[in-house]
Amino acid sequence: MPDIRGETLTARIDGGVCRLCFTRPEAGNTITAALVTEMDAALRRCEDPASGVSVVVLEGAPDVFCTGGDFEGIADDAPSNDPEPLYDLWQRLAEGPFVSVAVVRGRANAGGVGFVAACDLVLAEPSASFSLSELLFGLYPACVLPFLVRRVGRQTAHVMTLTTQPMGAAEALRAGLVDALDEAAEPLLRRHLVRLRRLARPAVARYKQYTAEMDGAWLAARRPAALAANREMFADPAVRAGIRRYVREMKFPWED
């Protein structure tokens, strides 16, 4: 696969490793329809055995990984806000025939935590933070939770949802949301790639399929309820009005 530079991300393959990088830090690397479409296309190419890809690395900017959904698109009633393509994208990261690695520097919020929780391995710098801010807007992270609970357990996900407070990198390491922490993520990633590159793609694919089945198809089983809950929340006029007010006035729903 040749190097790709899209509207929202870049994709580069080298030695069986595909590095996907969010490229809109000025907008918080928010999740737009274009981002989902471009990443879906990149992952589908990585799933092709002819690509030779056995590791997919997902990364953002030094100060921001991904801050979640595109509130401006929601405020403008953009037609492409259905959660199904994003849930399926996360499930592809979780269960695809490759090792998925999130490299987190800076802030990961809401749907950004979904990307993190979906990956097999999470590497972080001390600047990384993880938060679920949805309840502040009358929402809850319905589509994120199956992936987050699968990784860190129900109570930790419950506390993150209710408090809406950022979790620092060291705390995330203790909670199991982060697998390895270092002052510089790039050398940390290189150290992991030394061994990950040696894993045979067919073996990784079989292993990932086995673990999905061993989990009782956890993600697939929770998909219908997650999508239904997300659609119901975003259909609520009061919720949409609160989001619209936040985008236009930078005021939370409870502020005068």
Side-chain angles (χ1 to χ4, degrees):
M1 182 175 73
D3 291 358
I4 293 174
R5 182 170 185 85
E7 177 185 333
T8 66
L9 59 80
T10 58
R12 178 170 57 87
I13 288 181
D14 180 30
V17 177
C18 177
R19 298 189 69 158
L20 301 175
C21 183
F22 299 127
T23 58
R24 296 174 63 246
E26 73 286 352
N29 289 327
T30 54
I31 302 169
T32 63
L35 172 64
V36 174
T37 297
E38 290 178 1
M39 189 173 294
D40 178 76
L43 291 183
R44 287 186 184 278
R45 294 191 184 189
C46 292
E47 289 173 338
D48 183 350
S51 70
V53 171
S54 59
V55 181
V56 172
V57 178
L58 181 60
E59 56 194 318
D63 58 346
V64 61
F65 179 75
C66 171
T67 57
D70 176 27
F71 268 18
E72 290 192 7
I74 296 169
D76 293 338
D77 294 318
S80 302
N81 288 316
D82 188 80
E84 186 172 1
L86 180 58
Y87 192 98
D88 292 347
L89 186 65
W90 290 341
Q91 190 169 349
R92 184 168 288 118
L93 283 170
E95 299 178 349
F98 40 69
V99 180
S100 53
V101 183
V103 177
V104 186
R105 310 171 183 88
R107 186 179 176 207
N109 179 62
V113 174
F115 276 111
V116 172
C119 286
D120 297 311
L121 297 173
V122 179
L123 313 180
E125 292 185 355
S127 65
S129 67
F130 308 85
S131 56
L132 298 175
S133 62
E134 287 89 340
L135 275 177
L136 297 174
F137 301 93
L139 304 165
Y140 61 91
C143 290
V144 173
L145 282 171
F147 298 87
L148 187 60
V149 169
R150 172 177 172 265
R151 174 171 263 275
V152 302
R154 188 180 186 281
Q155 185 60 22
T156 298
H158 185 53
V159 171
M160 289 181 68
T161 301
L162 289 177
T163 65
T164 72
Q165 291 294 316
M167 175 185 285
E171 185 180 358
L173 180 65
R174 291 191 295 270
L177 183 54
V178 168
D179 298 300
L181 177 63
D182 203 304
E183 289 295 328
E186 186 63 28
L188 179 62
L189 173 63
R190 287 200 300 267
R191 291 198 298 272
H192 278 76
L193 288 179
V194 168
R195 297 191 73 88
L196 292 177
R197 287 178 188 269
R198 297 179 179 274
L199 303 181
R201 178 190 164 100
V204 170
R206 288 193 295 267
Y207 168 69
K208 294 284 291 285
Q209 182 179 0
Y210 170 73
T211 56
E213 294 170 354
M214 185 176 67
D215 289 341
W218 170 274
L219 298 175
R222 282 146 187 82
R223 181 176 180 274
L227 297 182
N230 186 284
R231 289 165 179 153
E232 180 182 11
M233 284 185 288
F234 281 98
D236 185 337
V239 168
R240 298 184 71 86
I243 292 172
R244 191 175 296 114
R245 182 170 181 259
Y246 181 79
V247 168
R248 295 173 182 173
E249 303 177 29
M250 293 304 293
K251 291 183 178 180
F252 288 103
W254 64 85
E255 294 182 306
D256 293 333

